Amino acid sequence: AAAAVITSDGAELRADAVVLACGAWARELLPLASFPIKGQMLRLRPPPGHAQREAGGLQRTLFGDGVYLIPRRDGAVVVGATEEPGAGYDRRATAGGVAQLLDKAVAAAPVLADYTLDEVWAGLRPTTPDRMPLLGRASSALNLHVAAGYHRNGILLSPLCAKLVADGIEGALTEQDAALLAHFEVERFSRVQPSPAA
Protein backbone atom coordinates (compact mmCIF):
# COMPACT_ATOMS: atom_id res chain seq x y z
CA ALA A 1 0.00 0.00 0.00
CA ALA A 2 1.03 3.60 -0.51
CA ALA A 3 1.28 4.72 3.11
CA ALA A 4 2.38 8.31 2.54
CA VAL A 5 3.67 10.88 0.10
CA ILE A 6 6.98 12.59 0.83
CA THR A 7 7.09 16.14 -0.55
CA SER A 8 10.21 17.81 -1.94
CA ASP A 9 10.70 19.66 1.35
CA GLY A 10 10.65 16.36 3.29
CA ALA A 11 7.14 16.63 4.70
CA GLU A 12 5.27 13.34 5.00
CA LEU A 13 1.58 13.34 4.06
CA ARG A 14 -0.37 10.26 5.12
CA ALA A 15 -3.55 9.27 3.30
CA ASP A 16 -5.97 6.39 2.91
CA ALA A 17 -5.76 6.85 -0.87
CA VAL A 18 -3.05 8.42 -3.03
CA VAL A 19 -3.56 9.76 -6.56
CA LEU A 20 -0.53 10.03 -8.82
CA ALA A 21 -1.28 13.06 -11.01
CA CYS A 22 2.09 14.56 -11.92
CA GLY A 23 1.91 15.10 -15.66
CA ALA A 24 4.86 14.13 -17.81
CA TRP A 25 6.80 12.90 -14.76
CA ALA A 26 4.40 10.05 -13.82
CA ARG A 27 6.72 7.34 -15.14
CA GLU A 28 9.49 8.68 -12.89
CA LEU A 29 7.44 7.44 -9.91
CA LEU A 30 5.77 4.31 -11.33
CA PRO A 31 6.60 2.09 -14.29
CA LEU A 32 3.80 3.47 -16.48
CA ALA A 33 3.37 3.56 -20.26
CA SER A 34 3.67 7.34 -20.18
CA PHE A 35 6.22 9.67 -21.75
CA PRO A 36 6.64 13.38 -22.48
CA ILE A 37 6.09 14.99 -25.88
CA LYS A 38 7.53 18.49 -26.13
CA GLY A 39 5.42 21.26 -27.60
CA GLN A 40 6.48 24.82 -28.40
CA MET A 41 4.14 27.80 -28.75
CA LEU A 42 4.47 31.51 -29.31
CA ARG A 43 2.50 34.73 -29.08
CA LEU A 44 2.42 37.47 -31.71
CA ARG A 45 1.52 41.06 -30.93
CA PRO A 46 -0.08 43.30 -33.58
CA PRO A 47 2.03 46.12 -35.01
CA PRO A 48 1.48 49.67 -33.74
CA GLY A 49 -1.60 51.27 -35.24
CA HIS A 50 -3.65 48.10 -35.52
CA ALA A 51 -6.91 48.12 -33.61
CA GLN A 52 -6.47 46.02 -30.47
CA ARG A 53 -9.35 43.72 -31.35
CA GLU A 54 -8.20 42.90 -34.88
CA ALA A 55 -6.14 39.77 -34.01
CA GLY A 56 -5.03 39.36 -37.61
CA GLY A 57 -8.64 39.46 -38.76
CA LEU A 58 -9.32 36.21 -36.94
CA GLN A 59 -12.68 35.84 -35.24
CA ARG A 60 -12.10 32.36 -33.84
CA THR A 61 -9.44 29.68 -33.59
CA LEU A 62 -8.08 28.74 -37.00
CA PHE A 63 -6.58 25.32 -37.67
CA GLY A 64 -4.07 25.21 -40.53
CA ASP A 65 -1.53 22.71 -41.83
CA GLY A 66 0.25 21.65 -38.62
CA VAL A 67 -0.60 24.88 -36.80
CA TYR A 68 -3.44 26.56 -34.93
CA LEU A 69 -3.99 30.27 -34.36
CA ILE A 70 -5.89 31.55 -31.33
CA PRO A 71 -6.98 35.22 -31.45
CA ARG A 72 -6.93 37.09 -28.14
CA ARG A 73 -9.04 40.09 -27.10
CA ASP A 74 -5.98 42.35 -26.95
CA GLY A 75 -5.25 41.68 -30.65
CA ALA A 76 -2.49 39.16 -29.97
CA VAL A 77 -2.47 35.76 -31.65
CA VAL A 78 -1.24 32.60 -29.92
CA VAL A 79 0.38 30.13 -32.33
CA GLY A 80 0.71 26.44 -31.52
CA ALA A 81 2.20 24.00 -31.45
CA THR A 82 5.10 21.81 -32.33
CA GLU A 83 5.00 18.14 -31.45
CA GLU A 84 8.45 16.75 -30.63
CA PRO A 85 8.27 13.18 -29.29
CA GLY A 86 12.03 12.63 -29.18
CA ALA A 87 12.86 15.68 -27.04
CA GLY A 88 12.45 13.92 -23.68
CA TYR A 89 12.22 16.40 -20.80
CA ASP A 90 13.82 19.28 -22.74
CA ARG A 91 11.65 22.37 -22.20
CA ARG A 92 13.77 24.83 -24.17
CA ALA A 93 12.18 26.92 -26.88
CA THR A 94 14.36 26.55 -29.98
CA ALA A 95 15.01 28.57 -33.12
CA GLY A 96 13.88 25.60 -35.23
CA GLY A 97 10.59 25.26 -33.36
CA VAL A 98 9.92 29.01 -33.60
CA ALA A 99 10.79 29.06 -37.32
CA GLN A 100 8.43 26.13 -37.98
CA LEU A 101 5.56 27.82 -36.14
CA LEU A 102 6.13 31.21 -37.77
CA ASP A 103 6.31 29.71 -41.28
CA LYS A 104 3.07 27.83 -40.79
CA ALA A 105 1.30 30.74 -39.06
CA VAL A 106 2.15 33.20 -41.86
CA ALA A 107 1.11 30.64 -44.49
CA ALA A 108 -2.27 30.27 -42.74
CA ALA A 109 -2.76 34.03 -42.15
CA PRO A 110 -0.33 36.18 -44.19
CA VAL A 111 -1.21 39.35 -42.24
CA LEU A 112 0.73 37.88 -39.29
CA ALA A 113 4.03 38.55 -41.12
CA ASP A 114 3.87 42.13 -39.77
CA TYR A 115 3.22 41.06 -36.18
CA THR A 116 5.88 41.21 -33.46
CA LEU A 117 7.17 38.02 -31.86
CA ASP A 118 6.18 38.72 -28.25
CA GLU A 119 6.69 35.49 -26.30
CA VAL A 120 7.90 31.92 -26.85
CA TRP A 121 7.56 28.93 -24.52
CA ALA A 122 7.72 25.16 -24.47
CA GLY A 123 6.03 22.53 -22.35
CA LEU A 124 5.69 18.78 -22.01
CA ARG A 125 2.56 16.84 -22.83
CA PRO A 126 2.15 13.67 -20.75
CA THR A 127 1.34 11.03 -23.35
CA THR A 128 0.62 7.30 -23.63
CA PRO A 129 1.09 5.01 -26.65
CA ASP A 130 -2.61 5.34 -27.59
CA ARG A 131 -2.80 9.03 -26.52
CA MET A 132 -5.54 8.18 -24.05
CA PRO A 133 -5.19 8.88 -20.33
CA LEU A 134 -4.26 6.40 -17.63
CA LEU A 135 -7.06 6.42 -15.04
CA GLY A 136 -7.89 4.34 -12.01
CA ARG A 137 -6.23 2.02 -9.51
CA ALA A 138 -2.65 0.91 -10.02
CA SER A 139 -2.06 -2.81 -9.53
CA SER A 140 1.10 -2.13 -7.48
CA ALA A 141 -0.88 -0.91 -4.43
CA LEU A 142 -4.57 -1.16 -3.56
CA ASN A 143 -4.80 2.47 -2.45
CA LEU A 144 -2.71 3.98 -5.27
CA HIS A 145 -4.63 5.57 -8.13
CA VAL A 146 -3.41 7.23 -11.32
CA ALA A 147 -4.67 10.20 -13.33
CA ALA A 148 -2.06 10.82 -16.03
CA GLY A 149 -1.28 10.82 -19.76
CA TYR A 150 -3.78 13.39 -21.05
CA HIS A 151 -1.57 14.44 -24.01
CA ARG A 152 -2.97 17.72 -25.43
CA ASN A 153 -6.28 17.48 -23.57
CA GLY A 154 -5.47 17.80 -19.88
CA ILE A 155 -7.19 21.14 -19.44
CA LEU A 156 -10.32 19.71 -21.08
CA LEU A 157 -10.39 16.22 -19.57
CA SER A 158 -9.09 16.74 -16.04
CA PRO A 159 -12.39 17.82 -14.38
CA LEU A 160 -14.28 14.73 -15.60
CA CYS A 161 -11.32 12.41 -15.02
CA ALA A 162 -10.85 13.76 -11.48
CA LYS A 163 -14.50 12.98 -10.76
CA LEU A 164 -14.19 9.46 -12.18
CA VAL A 165 -11.04 8.70 -10.18
CA ALA A 166 -12.52 10.21 -6.99
CA ASP A 167 -15.75 8.25 -7.44
CA GLY A 168 -13.67 5.09 -7.97
CA ILE A 169 -11.79 5.72 -4.72
CA GLU A 170 -15.05 6.32 -2.85
CA GLY A 171 -16.75 3.26 -4.40
CA ALA A 172 -19.36 5.57 -5.93
CA LEU A 173 -18.89 4.84 -9.64
CA THR A 174 -22.09 4.29 -11.58
CA GLU A 175 -22.19 1.22 -13.82
CA GLN A 176 -21.91 3.50 -16.85
CA ASP A 177 -18.90 5.40 -15.42
CA ALA A 178 -17.17 2.13 -14.44
CA ALA A 179 -17.58 0.92 -18.04
CA LEU A 180 -16.16 4.22 -19.31
CA LEU A 181 -13.21 4.10 -16.90
CA ALA A 182 -12.36 0.54 -18.01
CA HIS A 183 -11.17 1.93 -21.38
CA PHE A 184 -8.43 3.88 -19.59
CA GLU A 185 -7.09 1.20 -17.23
CA VAL A 186 -3.62 1.94 -15.94
CA GLU A 187 -2.33 -1.56 -16.77
CA ARG A 188 -3.80 -1.82 -20.29
CA PHE A 189 -0.38 -1.74 -21.99
CA SER A 190 1.09 -4.51 -19.87
CA ARG A 191 -1.65 -7.06 -20.60
CA VAL A 192 -0.62 -9.97 -22.78
CA GLN A 193 -2.93 -10.15 -25.75
CA PRO A 194 -4.08 -13.66 -26.71
CA SER A 195 -2.93 -14.88 -30.08
CA PRO A 196 -5.64 -14.96 -32.74
CA ALA A 197 -7.03 -18.41 -33.44
CA ALA A 198 -5.28 -20.07 -36.39
Side-chain angles (χ1 to χ4, degrees):
V5 173
I6 309 295
T7 64
S8 61
D9 64 358
E12 184 175 298
L13 305 173
R14 296 200 161 274
D16 293 333
V18 174
V19 178
L20 179 68
C22 56
W25 292 266
R27 76 173 184 178
E28 300 297 313
L29 299 173
L30 277 183
L32 297 172
S34 175
F35 51 91
I37 293 184
K38 178 180 175 179
Q40 298 184 56
M41 295 182 71
L42 55 88
R43 186 166 75 109
L44 301 173
R45 187 172 18 94
H50 274 66
Q52 276 198 335
R53 285 180 267 155
E54 280 186 20
L58 300 174
Q59 300 293 318
R60 60 189 53 86
T61 300
L62 172 69
F63 292 91
D65 181 25
V67 70
Y68 55 88
L69 309 173
I70 306 169
R72 296 296 190 203
R73 288 187 186 138
D74 66 356
V77 176
V78 174
V79 180
T82 65
E83 191 162 303
E84 303 169 49
Y89 291 97
D90 178 5
R91 292 185 291 168
R92 295 174 306 119
T94 64
V98 170
Q100 175 187 333
L101 290 172
L102 289 173
D103 286 347
K104 291 181 178 202
V106 171
V111 69
L112 296 179
D114 291 332
Y115 276 49
T116 301
L117 180 59
D118 192 41
E119 185 179 6
V120 178
W121 65 95
L124 302 174
R125 298 179 188 101
T127 306
T128 64
D130 63 5
R131 297 195 176 196
M132 306 282 255
L134 301 168
L135 301 171
R137 190 174 67 77
S139 64
S140 55
L142 292 177
N143 67 335
L144 180 60
H145 305 266
V146 175
Y150 296 105
H151 189 55
R152 290 179 178 253
N153 300 305
I155 196 82
L156 302 171
L157 295 175
S158 57
L160 173 60
C161 293
K163 181 182 181 338
L164 289 170
V165 171
D167 286 352
I169 291 168
E170 295 290 323
L173 280 174
T174 66
E175 193 174 309
Q176 182 179 2
D177 285 348
L180 176 63
L181 202 54
H183 294 284
F184 308 105
E185 286 179 347
V186 175
E187 314 298 333
R188 70 182 180 272
F189 299 105
S190 59
R191 283 189 231 123
V192 176
Q193 299 296 322
S195 299

